[in-house]
Amino acid sequence: MNACVFAGRFVLRPALGLGALGLIAACTMIPESVEEQDIARYDAAVASLGCTLVTESDYMAAGLQTGLSRAQLMDITAYKLSSDGAVRLPAGGVELTTGACA
């Protein structure tokens, strides 16, 4: 369990002070529209596509492999970008930078 999930599941004691609040503020939560296993399927699908999502056909292929909607794929992509799990490509699109794509 990562620190973000741990801190979010338990009531923080006042003695923890502002340090704990900083930890929670720094956490990037997964999108509400998806679950952890959806992100794992997304990672596997994007890895099979060469670790990039650039064109509409890339998103369609990822959607077919994962069973996720385009909106869910976009939510996960935004999550990956905000959590440093992906980078924007200069010519457009994104590239995963973690897991099999590291």
Side-chain angles (χ1 to χ4, degrees):
M1 175 181 310
N2 70 34
C4 296
V5 173
F6 180 79
R9 288 192 178 171
F10 297 96
V11 176
L12 299 174
R13 295 181 181 185
L16 294 177
L18 296 176
L21 292 176
L23 173 66
I24 293 172
C27 295
T28 303
M29 303 300 288
I30 66 168
E32 291 182 17
S33 65
V34 299
E35 298 178 5
E36 291 286 340
Q37 61 266 26
D38 296 329
I39 294 174
R41 289 195 316 263
Y42 172 95
D43 289 343
V46 177
S48 77
L49 297 169
C51 297
T52 62
L53 291 173
V54 178
T55 64
E56 180 64 25
S57 62
D58 294 336
Y59 281 94
M60 290 175 62
L64 286 172
Q65 289 182 49
T66 62
L68 297 171
S69 69
R70 175 63 184 246
Q72 289 172 307
L73 292 172
M74 297 305 292
D75 287 347
I76 295 172
T77 301
Y79 164 73
K80 290 287 188 177
L81 287 166
S82 69
S83 64
D84 297 327
V87 295
R88 292 191 187 279
L89 296 171
V94 298
E95 179 178 12
L96 292 189
T97 58
T98 57
C101 297

